[in-house]
C-alpha cells in the first residue's frame, strides 16, 4: 500500500511538472547541456612547441598549460620564474585545466610564432574570472634578452586602466613578421584560490564579436531575473503575499552575484575601484536569500523543525561569511564559501521530504534547486580540475541558476493554485453550511446584534459614568453642562453652579484606609443626588471634588448649597476605629455672561478656594471682585 502511494505521488509530481509547457523543454535542454559539459566536451591540446598563430584567431587555440610552475610562497618575480624555467622546474599541468584550490601564484611559459610577413597583434584572454591579478612578460624567442612587462592587470585597479575592455583579463601581444615570441605569465589568485592557466588566443575583431555574444547571453539572463523580480514584487504588493517579496529579492540577488562573479559589476558599475570581497559578499547575500526563501516556501519551521535547525546553521554560516569579508579575512571567507556550497544541496532532500508529506509544489521546488546544485557541481568539478574548462560549463552555473528560478516560479504557481483550490472548496462548503443553517444563523446574528447593542450601551454608559459613584464623570459633566449653559443663554434662564470638596479627605484615607474613603465619596454623591432635579447636571470632576449645575437664580442656588452642606455633615460611616464624620466646603457662582461651563466653574473654584483658606466647612459665593 505504501509503495502504491509513493508511485501515485511520483505520477502526480511528473504531471504537475511537465504539464507546464515552459519547464519541459528547459528540463531536456538542461540534461543535454549537462551531459555535454561533463562528458562530451573536448579537452584542448596545449602544445609545448611554438604555436603558429595568424590574423584569423577565433579563440580555438589555447596555450599555457604545458609549462607550469607553482610558487607556493607567492613572492616570485620574473627573474625567479626565469631561473625556475632554466632549472627545468616548469611542469605539465596534470589536471583537466585547473590548479585546484591552492595558495601562492602560478607561472606559465609558452611561445607564439608568426609565419606571416607582416606584424601580428593578438589578444590573449584568461579563460576564467576567479583571478586577482595577471602579469605578462615577453621577449623574442632565442634572443637571450630580458623579459619585458607587456601587461599588469589587477581587480584592484580601475577598469579604465585595462588594455582591452573586457570583463575577464585580456592583454595584447604584438609579434614581429616571421618571428617567435616567448611569454611568461604570472597568475595570482590571492591567499587561497583557483587558477586556470589556460589562455585563449584571439584576433581583436574576433574577441570583440565573441564578447558581444557573451554579453547578449548575460543580458538575456539578467533581463529574465529582472522581469521575474518585478513580476513577483508587483504580485506581492497586489495580494500581500510574503513569499513573493522574498522571491523578488532572491531574483535580484542573482543579478548581483552573477554580475559580480563574472566581472560585469567591475566593468559597468564599480569601474573606479573593486575589492576581492565583493564576490564573496554578493554570494553570501544570494545564498542567504535562497535559504530564507526555502525555509518560507517549504515551511520547514512548522513541518520539519529538526531540518529547519540545519538551515538556520547555514544562514549563520552566511552571516559569518559576510563578517569575514568586512574583517578582510580572505582565507576564512573562502573556507566559509566552500562550506556554504557544500551544504547547499541539503535543501533538495528537505524539499523531497516536504513533497512526501503531501506538498506537490515542494517536488517542483526540489527539481529547480537540484538544477542549481548540478550547475554548482559542474563548476566545482571544473575548479578542482576534473572537468575541462569550456564556454558551456563556464556559463552553465548562471544558466542553471536561471532554470532554477523558472522552476521555483512554477512551484509558486502550483502552491498558489493549491491555495486557490483550498479556498474555493472552503467557500463552497461554507455556502452549503449557510444554506443548511440559514435560520439558525439569522437568529444567531440577531442575538449577537442585541448583545452588541447592549454592550455598546453599557460601554457608552461606562464612558460617561464615574465607576465609583455612578454619577457623571468629568467629560460627561462638561458635555451635559455646556448644552444646559447654551440653552440657558438662549432662553435667558438663570443658572448657578456649585463646586464641592470634602474637607481633609486625605486624612480619612490615611487614618481609615481607602475603602472608607471610597464609602465617603459614595455617601457624598448620594446626598447631593437627593437635591438634583432632571434639569440639573451633577458629576464628579476630581478625586474628592463634585460639581452641580442647577437651573436657579442666586438665592435659589445658595439655598441648594446650604442644604447639601448640612446633609453632608450628617453623614456617618462605620469603621474599625469608630464612626467617621466629615464636612465639605462649597463654592457657589452664578451665570453672568460666561462663555462656557469651564469659565463658570473657575469662578466657583475661586470661591471654594477662599472657603478652604478661611477655615473650611462653609459655603461661599463668588464675588466679582475675585475675578
Amino acid at each position: 500500500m505504501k509503495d502504491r502511494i509513493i508511485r501515485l505521488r511520483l505520477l502526480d509530481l511528473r504531471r504537475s511538472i511537465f504539464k507546464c509547457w515552459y519547464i519541459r523543454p528547459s528540463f531536456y535542454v538542461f540534461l543535454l547541456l549537462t551531459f555535454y559539459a561533463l562528458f562530451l566536451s573536448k579537452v584542448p591540446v596545449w602544445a609545448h612547441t611554438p604555436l603558429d598563430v595568424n590574423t584569423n584567431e577565433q579563440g580555438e587555440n589555447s596555450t599555457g598549460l604545458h609549462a607550469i610552475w607553482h610558487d607556493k610562497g607567492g613572492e616570485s618575480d620574473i627573474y625567479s620564474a626565469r631561473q625556475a624555467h632554466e632549472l627545468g622546474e616548469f611542469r605539465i599541468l596534470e589536471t583537466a585545466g585547473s590548479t585546484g584550490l591552492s595558495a601562492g601564484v602560478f607561472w606559465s611559459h609558452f611561445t607564439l610564432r608568426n609565419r606571416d610577413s607582416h606584424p601580428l597583434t593578438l589578444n590573449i584572454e584568461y579563460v576564467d574570472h576567479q583571478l586577482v591579478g595577471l602579469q605578462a612578460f615577453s621577449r623574442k624567442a632565442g634572443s637571450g634578452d630580458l623579459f619585458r612587462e607587456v601587461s599588469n592587470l589587477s581587480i584592484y585597479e580601475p577598469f579604465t586602466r585595462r588594455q582591452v575592455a573586457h570583463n575577464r583579463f585580456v592583454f595584447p601581444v604584438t609579434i614581429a613578421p616571421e618571428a617567435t615570441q616567448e611569454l611568461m605569465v604570472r597568475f595570482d589568485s590571492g591567499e587561497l584560490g583557483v587558477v586556470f592557466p589556460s589562455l585563449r588566443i584571439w584576433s581583436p575583431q574576433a574577441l570583440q564579436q565573441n564578447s558581444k555574444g557573451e554579453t547578449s547571453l548575460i543580458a538575456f539572463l539578467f533581463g529574465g531575473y529582472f522581469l521575474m523580480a518585478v513580476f513577483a514584487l508587483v504580485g506581492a504588493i497586489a495580494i500581500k503575499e510574503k513569499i513573493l517579496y522574498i522571491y523578488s529579492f532572491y531574483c535580484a540577488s542573482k543579478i548581483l552575484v552573477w554580475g559580480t562573479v563574472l566581472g560585469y559589476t567591475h566593468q559597468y558599475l564599480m569601474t573606479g575601484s573593486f575589492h576581492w570581497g565583493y564576490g564573496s559578499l554578493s554570494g553570501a547575500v544570494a545564498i542567504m536569500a535562497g535559504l530564507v526563501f526555502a525555509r518560507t516556501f517549504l515551511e520547514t519551521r512548522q513541518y520539519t523543525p529538526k531540518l529547519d535547525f540545519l538551515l538556520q546553521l547555514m544562514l549563520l554560516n552566511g552571516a559569518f561569511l559576510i563578517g569575514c569579508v568586512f574583517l578582510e579575512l580572505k582565507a576564512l571567507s573562502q573556507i566559509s564559501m566552500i562550506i556554504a556550497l557544500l551544504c547547499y544541496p541539503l535543501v533538495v532532500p528537505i524539499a523531497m521530504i516536504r513533497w512526501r508529506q503531501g506538498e506537490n509544489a515542494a517536488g517542483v521546488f526540489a527539481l529547480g534547486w537540484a538544477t542549481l546544485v548540478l550547475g554548482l557541481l559542474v563548476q566545482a568539478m571544473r575548479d578542482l580540475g576534473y572537468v575541462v574548462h569550456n564556454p558551456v560549463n563556464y556559463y552553465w552555473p548562471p544558466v542553471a541558476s536561471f532554470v532554477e528560478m523558472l522552476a521555483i516560479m512554477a512551484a509558486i504557481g502550483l502552491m498558489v493554485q493549491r491555495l486557490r483550490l483550498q479556498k474555493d472548496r472552503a467557500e463552497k462548503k461554507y455556502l452549503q453550511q449557510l444554506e443548511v443553517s440559514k435560520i439558525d444563523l439569522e437568529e444567531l446574528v440577531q442575538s449577537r446584534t442585541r448583545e452588541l447593542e447592549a454592550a455598546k450601551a453599557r460601554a457608552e454608559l461606562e464612558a460617561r459614568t464615574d465607576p465609583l459613584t455612578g454619577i457623571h464623570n468629568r467629560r460627561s459633566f462638561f458635555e451635559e453642562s455646556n448644552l444646559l449653559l447654551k440653552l440657558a443663554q438662549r432662553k435667558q434662564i438663570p443658572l448657578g453652579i456649585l463646586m464641592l470638596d470634602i474637607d481633609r479627605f486625605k486624612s480619612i484615607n490615611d487614618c481609615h484606609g481607602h475603602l472608607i474613603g471610597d464609602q465617603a465619596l459614595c455617601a457624598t454623591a448620594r446626598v447631593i443626588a437627593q437635591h438634583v432635579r432632571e434639569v440639573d447636571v451633577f458629576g464628579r470632576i476630581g478625586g474628592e471634588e463634585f460639581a452641580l449645575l442647577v437651573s436657579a437664580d442666586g438665592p435659589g442656588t445658595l439655598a441648594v448649597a446650604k442644604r447639601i452642606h448640612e446633609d453632608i455633615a450628617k453623614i456617618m460611616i462605620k469603621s474599625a476605629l469608630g464612626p467617621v464624620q466629615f464636612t465639605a466646603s462649597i463654592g457657589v457662582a452664578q451665570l453672568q455672561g460666561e462663555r462656557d461651563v469651564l469659565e463658570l466653574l473657575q469662578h466657583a473654584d475661586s470661591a471654594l478656594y477662599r472657603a478652604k483658606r478661611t477655615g473650611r466647612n462653609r459655603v461661599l459665593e463668588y464675588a466679582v471682585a475675585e475675578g
Side-chain angles (χ1 to χ4, degrees):
M1 182 64 181
K2 185 177 180 182
D3 294 341
R4 185 172 179 271
I5 293 173
I6 293 175
R7 286 197 300 271
L8 288 174
R9 286 185 176 176
L10 285 171
L11 182 60
D12 290 341
L13 176 62
R14 188 182 66 180
R15 289 174 178 171
S16 299
I17 295 171
F18 291 102
K19 69 181 179 181
C20 304
W21 64 270
Y22 50 84
I23 289 185
R24 188 182 298 179
S26 301
F27 181 72
Y28 288 146
V29 171
F30 164 73
L31 291 179
L32 181 61
L33 291 179
T34 303
F35 187 73
Y36 171 80
L38 290 176
F39 305 109
L40 298 183
S41 56
K42 296 181 179 179
V43 179
V45 178
W46 301 281
H48 181 53
T49 58
L51 181 64
D52 290 335
V53 291
N54 55 57
T55 57
N56 297 319
E57 294 296 331
Q58 301 291 320
E60 296 177 356
N61 283 328
S62 299
T63 186
L65 292 181
H66 188 274
I68 300 295
W69 176 54
H70 182 197
D71 170 28
K72 296 181 181 179
E75 302 294 333
S76 57
D77 54 15
I78 183 59
Y79 303 105
S80 305
R82 181 179 177 183
Q83 183 179 10
H85 184 261
E86 291 173 353
L87 293 175
E89 296 180 8
F90 279 65
R91 298 285 187 271
I92 296 176
L93 190 66
E94 296 179 355
T95 66
S98 167
T99 62
L101 197 63
S102 305
V105 299
F106 288 84
W107 286 83
S108 175
H109 175 268
F110 58 93
T111 55
L112 302 177
R113 181 165 55 200
N114 176 18
R115 291 188 179 275
D116 293 339
S117 58
H118 52 80
L120 178 61
T121 298
L122 299 171
N123 284 338
I124 312 299
E125 174 208 16
Y126 179 68
V127 297
D128 202 76
H129 50 264
Q130 304 181 50
L131 201 63
V132 173
L134 183 147
Q135 200 173 6
F137 302 88
S138 174
R139 71 176 180 182
K140 187 176 181 180
S143 65
D145 297 337
L146 294 177
F147 281 92
R148 63 180 181 84
E149 184 180 87
V150 295
S151 182
N152 192 352
L153 304 171
S154 172
I155 63 167
Y156 301 114
E157 295 292 332
F159 190 85
T160 52
R161 294 186 184 178
R162 295 195 180 185
Q163 297 157 293
V164 179
H166 198 278
N167 59 302
R168 293 185 292 276
F169 287 154
V170 179
F171 63 91
V173 170
T174 300
I175 307 174
E178 300 180 352
T180 301
Q181 202 77 7
E182 187 178 359
L183 288 98
M184 283 271 197
V185 182
R186 183 179 188 269
F187 305 95
D188 183 7
S189 62
E191 297 177 15
L192 189 67
V194 175
V195 172
F196 295 86
S198 178
L199 297 163
R200 285 189 291 218
I201 304 169
W202 300 86
S203 67
Q205 298 80 8
L207 178 63
Q208 186 176 11
Q209 281 298 117
N210 184 73
S211 180
K212 288 181 180 178
E214 292 186 26
T215 304
S216 299
L217 171 64
I218 294 301
F220 172 79
L221 295 179
F222 285 8
Y225 286 136
F226 178 75
L227 289 176
M228 286 188 281
V230 170
F231 289 156
L233 181 60
V234 171
I237 294 173
I239 65 176
K240 308 297 182 184
E241 186 60 48
K242 176 183 176 183
I243 191 69
L244 292 179
Y245 282 111
I246 303 174
Y247 178 80
S248 177
F249 181 77
Y250 188 28
C251 287
S253 71
K254 296 285 186 175
I255 300 176
L256 174 68
V257 65
W258 292 119
T260 304
V261 167
L262 296 176
Y264 292 101
T265 300
H266 192 196
Q267 184 175 2
Y268 295 110
L269 296 179
M270 299 180 180
T271 57
S273 61
F274 203 71
H275 188 271
W276 65 265
Y278 292 164
S280 298
L281 189 61
S282 60
V285 170
I287 289 172
M288 295 180 73
L291 292 173
V292 170
F293 177 82
R295 289 187 67 210
T296 307
F297 183 84
L298 299 175
E299 299 176 291
T300 55
R301 185 175 182 180
Q302 179 179 357
Y303 294 103
T304 56
K306 293 182 179 179
L307 295 175
D308 181 72
F309 180 71
L310 183 61
L311 295 181
Q312 292 182 45
L313 291 179
M314 293 166 65
L315 282 170
L316 209 62
N317 179 66
F320 176 75
L321 173 56
I322 294 175
C324 289
V325 172
F326 283 108
L327 295 175
E328 299 284 339
L329 304 174
K330 186 174 182 181
L332 278 178
S333 70
Q334 291 277 10
I335 295 172
S336 178
M337 178 62 78
I338 292 172
I339 293 174
L341 294 177
L342 289 175
C343 294
Y344 220 53
L346 296 176
V347 178
V348 176
I350 295 175
M352 294 302 296
I353 291 173
R354 287 289 293 117
W355 169 69
R356 291 193 63 184
Q357 290 175 347
E359 180 58 69
N360 288 335
V364 181
F365 177 90
L367 177 63
W369 202 275
T371 304
L372 173 63
V373 168
L374 192 53
L376 296 176
L377 175 64
V378 170
Q379 179 177 341
M381 294 179 69
R382 186 190 48 150
D383 290 348
L384 295 175
Y386 297 115
V387 176
V388 65
H389 187 293
N390 59 40
V392 173
N393 58 41
Y394 176 74
Y395 281 110
W396 191 230
V399 172
S401 184
F402 183 81
V403 174
E404 173 219 10
M405 299 311 293
L406 286 176
I408 288 177
M409 178 175 284
I412 292 176
L414 290 175
M415 181 188 72
V416 172
Q417 183 182 18
R418 174 180 59 81
L419 293 176
R420 185 182 295 114
L421 289 174
Q422 289 178 350
K423 178 184 176 184
D424 292 342
R425 285 195 295 267
E427 288 179 351
K428 185 177 180 180
K429 184 177 180 181
Y430 180 68
L431 290 174
Q432 290 173 347
Q433 290 177 346
L434 283 180
E435 291 296 330
V436 173
S437 58
K438 184 177 180 180
I439 297 177
D440 293 339
L441 183 61
E442 288 177 352
E443 292 179 354
L444 180 63
V445 170
Q446 292 175 359
S447 174
R448 183 58 178 162
T449 302
R450 289 192 295 270
E451 290 177 2
L452 290 175
E453 289 175 351
K456 179 182 177 182
R458 287 195 300 273
E460 290 178 351
L461 180 63
E462 290 174 358
R464 300 171 58 84
T465 304
D466 176 56
L468 177 63
T469 61
I471 61 177
H472 285 298
N473 58 18
R474 182 181 180 88
R475 188 190 75 176
S476 177
F477 172 80
F478 278 105
E479 290 177 354
E480 297 293 331
S481 297
N482 277 315
L483 293 176
L484 180 58
L485 183 140
K486 290 178 181 178
L487 179 64
Q489 290 174 334
R490 188 166 61 251
K491 295 190 175 183
Q492 300 296 317
I493 299 173
L495 203 65
I497 193 167
L498 286 69
M499 188 168 180
L500 181 147
D501 185 276
I502 298 176
D503 295 330
R504 296 183 175 86
F505 181 74
K506 184 176 183 300
S507 64
I508 296 176
N509 281 333
D510 293 343
C511 296
H512 301 279
H514 288 280
L515 181 60
I516 299 299
D518 289 346
Q519 292 180 15
L521 292 172
C522 292
T524 303
R526 286 195 298 271
V527 167
I528 299 174
Q530 294 172 1
H531 300 275
V532 176
R533 300 166 297 174
E534 291 185 1
V535 294
D536 301 334
V537 181
F538 171 43
R540 181 185 176 191
I541 60 173
E544 67 272 17
E545 293 179 343
F546 298 85
L548 174 62
L549 189 67
V550 296
S551 299
D553 56 10
T557 303
L558 187 60
V560 171
K562 289 180 178 179
R563 287 198 298 271
I564 291 174
H565 179 263
E566 292 173 357
D567 289 347
I568 289 175
K570 299 175 183 178
I571 295 174
M572 182 177 294
I573 300 172
K574 296 180 180 180
S575 73
L577 300 178
V580 177
Q581 288 186 288
F582 53 88
T583 60
S585 298
I586 303 176
V588 180
Q590 201 68 26
L591 179 64
Q592 301 290 341
E594 287 83 0
R595 291 170 297 179
D596 55 30
V597 170
L598 181 61
E599 187 176 353
L600 182 61
L601 190 65
Q602 287 175 345
H603 293 165
D605 185 58
S606 177
L608 174 64
Y609 178 73
R610 187 157 50 87
K612 288 281 190 181
R613 190 177 55 191
T614 56
R616 297 183 177 86
N617 190 22
R618 63 192 60 199
V619 178
L620 291 181
E621 286 187 279
Y622 172 74
V624 178
E626 293 182 48

